[in-house]
Amino acid sequence: IYRITYPSRPLVKPAKIVDASIDELLDNLKLPEYRTRYRTKRELRSRDSSQVLSKLKTWAANLDKNDPHYEHNLLEGLWVSWGVNKVDEQILRQVLQAKDFRARTAAVGVLRYAGFQIPDQADLLMQAAKDDNARVRLEALVAASWLDKDIGIPIVTEAGKKGLDKWMEKPYEAALAHLN
């Protein structure tokens, strides 16, 4: 194989995934390569969920809050807990309060699909519907469209109070129509 090398871009060293310990796998979640993180989360789903969740709590608690990727790393941890079908409520609540709107939006997505595990799902969606960022509000109104009418309509209505951008207009109308 002919390979072009760039001195300023060294080749990526493959991360250990097969036969890696749970601690090593959790540390892989900090790596910049998407596919490495994806394969790592798949491997973690195949492990004993109680061990993964136990080690995940420790891993998340020990993350460096000064790391510029702290919120992303925490989000990766949230996805791990979701992947073993036991959403870590503490991590979810932390990510819902993240400074980065992309992390908050992703956390609302987890709340949408795994909300049955969270007793105050509707309250958390209502908070997200009041978010300053339109993408977070959009995710909240879409999630609310799957709830019972009495719970979903107030959330969808709240999400529309800060105004609808062009990406929110049709989902907003569809959510209300679906709930009604």
Side-chain angles (χ1 to χ4, degrees):
I1 290 179
Y2 177 72
R3 200 181 260 170
I4 298 175
T5 58
Y6 299 92
S8 62
R9 285 185 24 204
L11 295 176
V12 174
K13 182 179 181 243
K16 183 177 180 184
I17 296 175
V18 175
D19 299 327
S21 70
I22 293 173
D23 291 324
E24 289 173 310
L25 291 169
L26 290 171
D27 279 339
N28 284 352
L29 298 175
K30 297 176 187 176
L31 296 173
E33 294 81 29
Y34 166 78
R35 297 302 294 176
T36 298
R37 295 190 315 269
Y38 173 82
R39 290 192 329 271
T40 295
K41 287 182 289 224
R42 285 191 56 155
E43 180 65 25
L44 284 165
R45 285 194 304 265
S46 73
R47 304 292 179 96
D48 178 77
S49 63
S50 61
Q51 287 181 356
V52 170
L53 291 169
S54 172
K55 292 195 180 272
L56 176 64
K57 280 209 175 287
T58 304
W59 178 84
N62 290 330
L63 286 173
D64 179 6
K65 291 186 169 131
N66 296 319
D67 181 345
H69 303 291
Y70 171 73
E71 291 178 340
H72 183 266
N73 294 338
L74 203 56
L75 176 59
E76 290 285 345
L78 175 61
W79 284 332
V80 167
S81 70
W82 182 25
V84 296
N85 200 27
K86 292 184 175 130
V87 172
D88 186 300
E89 199 171 330
Q90 181 181 353
I91 294 175
L92 173 66
R93 290 176 189 283
Q94 280 182 267
V95 180
L96 284 169
Q97 299 300 316
K99 292 176 188 162
D100 189 332
F101 74 90
R102 294 169 298 185
R104 293 193 311 273
T105 302
V108 174
V110 171
L111 190 56
R112 171 185 178 185
Y113 291 108
F116 62 91
Q117 296 177 17
I118 309 300
D120 58 343
Q121 176 194 28
D123 294 335
L124 294 173
L125 286 174
M126 183 59 85
Q127 289 173 10
K130 296 174 183 177
D131 198 280
D132 289 332
N133 187 274
R135 279 178 58 184
V136 177
R137 294 193 313 273
L138 173 61
E139 191 70 35
L141 77 86
V142 170
S145 73
W146 292 95
L147 301 175
D148 290 334
K149 179 180 181 176
D150 297 340
I151 299 169
I153 287 179
I155 295 169
V156 172
T157 305
E158 186 64 40
K161 285 183 181 177
K162 290 199 177 189
L164 303 172
D165 62 21
K166 72 176 189 170
W167 302 105
M168 292 177 74
E169 291 170 357
K170 295 293 182 191
Y172 181 81
E173 292 167 11
L176 286 177
H178 176 72
L179 287 165
N180 284 314

